[in-house]
Amino acid sequence: MKIIVLGSGVIGTTSAYYLAKAGHEVTVIDRQPAAGMETSYGNAGEISPGYATPWAGPGVPAKAVKWLLMKHSPLVVRARFDPDMWSWMLQMLANCNHKSYEINKRRMVRIAEYSRDVLKQLRADTGITYDDRAMGTLQLFRTQKQLDAAATDIAVLQQSGVPYNVLDPKGCELAEPALAKVRGSFVGGLQLPGDETGDCFKFTQKLAEMAKELGVTFRHEVTIENLVTEGDRIVGVKTSKGELKADHYVLALGSYSPFLLRRIGIKIPVYPVKGYSITVPILDASGAPESTVMDETYKVAITRLGDRIRVGGTAELTGFDLTLRQARRETLEHSVTSLFPQGGDVSKAEFWCGLRPNTPDGTPIVGPTPYRNLFLNTGHGTLGWTMSCGSARVTADILSGRQPDISLEGLFMDRYGSINKPVQVPSGIVVAA
């Protein structure tokens, strides 16, 4: 089949690759000059299925009030007249309970664990490298209250069969030797040994080249204007370079997905949550992290990427504003220098921000729509890198008429009550197995 993929971030690029591997003729359209130039460019670098956790959880509303009062707050809300923002926030608050949290986390862990396994196979098959390491994630707790609160996550990890280790301070230092330099600043940690790290941008760029070798055509610097419909089908894509046609269409536009969909009568609750990162050159390798350390206090990930440290975090609700705010840089610098004071030179760091496409429940939207030949692969939030290969493989399987290797329960857009038309699930595909 001829398939057009809309978007060439890590989600769109992996989708194109696996669709081409399945034998389809694929064209990718994107407004940027190359693959991975937006949200995939400077993310935290984590491939963290064990840390796949919805932001909407029990106690989050109370925590949010506290966070908003902190100097180095992990959450910033810039109130504005934006019905989409307020609708999204209300739906997120509705998920802030134990039952929803456990359901959503299990869904997220399912697709994230599968995605990591697919990525491992990709590495074995192609030899692709991207400053990758497979040394796990250490969620670091500065207070006993944080450590005690991890019990809910641990219960879900046990139910999902995800390996983990609860560490005392000495155990944290054994996992991350540089933390010995700040002994006494943390009380323990939760280690997720199955997690990995890597440069998402490097991966996306290299995979795009591999996709081209499989025959994928990338049409960059092309603006997508609209989808052309006829009955219950998409019959074309209007772009700045004319109308393009295919048999099927995969929409992977991240935070911008709702703009295109609402023009054809589909509303999905995907909203941008702005994140920031700094990329710090390493000065002293012995003072830098070995893998990823999640600073639970500031919700900041500190990741080793070759000769650099990537520090990513902050959840800023501010619409589509891409202004780089100095206060957010100071938060990232504070987190990394308080835990790895001798690791890198923050004065020489590259400062970046991107828009994470979040759903209210944390689970991505992967699968069919009310239009028979339109499929979604969006809404991955902070876990686009983590879930990319698995989401792409699921997409390629569905479009190829194959039953995916994991249950599709909870991944489709019909889990939201705002969807009026029935989702057109291809015949032969079982949603829950």
Side-chain angles (χ1 to χ4, degrees):
M1 297 183 295
K2 291 184 178 180
I3 300 174
I4 289 178
V5 176
L6 308 175
S8 69
V10 69
I11 301 298
T13 301
T14 51
S15 296
Y17 177 83
Y18 282 103
L19 286 165
K21 287 285 287 184
H24 302 295
E25 181 182 332
V26 183
T27 298
V28 181
I29 309 172
D30 196 282
R31 65 184 179 183
Q32 294 293 344
M37 296 299 294
E38 294 196 26
T39 304
S40 303
Y41 180 78
N43 69 17
E46 298 173 90
I47 302 164
S48 50
Y51 196 71
T53 302
W55 288 4
V60 165
K63 289 180 183 178
V65 173
K66 178 183 176 182
W67 288 334
L68 290 171
L69 299 175
M70 290 171 56
K71 178 182 178 182
H72 296 296
S73 174
L75 173 66
V76 177
V77 178
R78 301 191 184 281
R80 53 199 290 141
F81 180 72
D82 184 346
D84 289 336
M85 173 193 283
W86 294 106
S87 174
W88 183 89
M89 290 176 67
L90 288 172
Q91 290 181 70
M92 179 183 173
L93 289 172
N95 280 275
C96 291
N97 58 78
H98 286 283
K99 182 180 180 180
S100 296
Y101 179 84
E102 290 181 4
I103 291 172
N104 295 331
K105 184 172 176 68
R106 279 197 295 269
R107 290 171 174 171
M108 294 172 70
V109 169
R110 185 203 321 143
I111 184 68
E113 287 276 308
Y114 174 63
S115 187
R116 185 201 53 217
D117 294 343
V118 174
L119 174 59
K120 284 183 177 179
Q121 188 61 53
L122 177 68
R123 280 204 307 270
D125 292 343
T126 67
I128 189 172
T129 60
Y130 41 90
D131 286 336
D132 50 296
R133 292 189 173 203
M135 299 176 66
T137 293
L138 176 61
Q139 187 179 1
L140 197 68
F141 305 115
R142 295 180 186 252
T143 69
Q144 187 63 41
K145 186 176 180 180
Q146 292 172 349
L147 181 57
D148 293 341
T152 301
D153 282 339
I154 290 171
V156 176
L157 293 174
Q158 288 176 329
Q159 293 168 12
S160 303
V162 179
Y164 70 90
N165 301 304
V166 179
L167 305 180
D168 60 13
K170 185 176 181 180
C172 293
E173 292 176 19
L174 289 173
E176 287 287 354
L179 290 175
K181 301 177 187 295
V182 292
R183 186 174 296 156
S185 62
F186 50 91
V187 301
L190 176 63
Q191 185 187 42
L192 301 160
D195 287 5
E196 302 182 2
T197 57
D199 188 322
C200 181
F201 177 64
K202 283 188 176 182
F203 172 85
T204 305
Q205 292 260 299
K206 288 188 176 183
L207 194 67
E209 292 305 312
M210 292 180 180
K212 290 175 185 177
E213 293 173 4
L214 293 174
V216 176
T217 299
F218 283 80
R219 299 195 60 172
H220 287 293
E221 298 183 291
V222 176
T223 301
I224 301 162
E225 298 174 349
N226 209 349
L227 294 172
V228 183
T229 65
E230 190 174 286
D232 63 355
R233 297 184 65 82
I234 306 297
V235 295
V237 183
K238 285 186 177 180
T239 77
S240 57
K241 299 294 179 65
E243 187 171 325
L244 303 175
K245 295 179 178 292
D247 300 311
H248 287 80
Y249 303 82
V250 176
L251 192 146
L253 292 173
S255 296
Y256 297 91
S257 300
F259 290 127
L260 204 60
L261 291 173
R262 67 170 52 124
R263 295 175 186 173
I264 59 171
I266 296 177
K267 185 176 182 181
I268 58 170
V270 170
Y271 194 79
V273 178
K274 186 177 175 182
Y276 293 83
S277 74
I278 54 174
T279 305
V280 184
I282 290 177
L283 290 177
D284 177 4
S286 67
E290 291 295 326
S291 188
T292 288
V293 172
M294 277 295 309
D295 185 347
E296 182 63 16
T297 297
Y298 304 108
K299 302 293 183 182
V300 167
I302 305 168
T303 302
R304 176 76 165 264
L305 296 178
D307 59 358
R308 303 160 295 150
I309 302 172
R310 174 70 54 75
V311 188
T314 300
E316 186 173 283
L317 284 167
T318 183
F320 291 83
D321 177 13
L322 287 169
T323 303
L324 286 168
R325 300 186 184 277
Q326 182 62 24
R328 304 282 67 78
R329 176 171 183 149
E330 291 171 1
T331 294
L332 299 177
E333 290 182 354
H334 174 74
S335 177
V336 68
T337 56
S338 64
L339 294 176
F340 300 97
Q342 300 171 20
D345 185 353
V346 295
S347 69
K348 296 180 180 178
E350 177 188 4
F351 188 29
W352 173 89
C353 70
L355 301 177
R356 312 178 186 108
N358 280 61
T359 61
D361 59 12
T363 309
I365 303 173
V366 183
T369 71
Y371 292 90
R372 291 185 180 277
N373 60 341
L374 175 64
F375 294 78
L376 304 185
N377 195 358
T378 188
H380 298 76
T382 58
L383 296 167
W385 180 203
T386 296
M387 297 179 173
S388 58
C389 287
S391 298
R393 179 69 179 273
V394 165
T395 300
D397 284 343
I398 295 173
L399 278 166
S400 302
R402 297 191 301 261
Q403 181 66 35
D405 295 331
I406 60 170
S407 168
L408 303 176
E409 185 277 323
L411 296 181
F412 292 179
M413 61 184 292
D414 61 358
R415 71 180 186 265
Y416 296 109
S418 60
I419 305 304
N420 297 320
K421 298 179 181 179
V423 170
Q424 300 290 336
V425 182
S427 59
I429 300 296
V430 180
V431 176

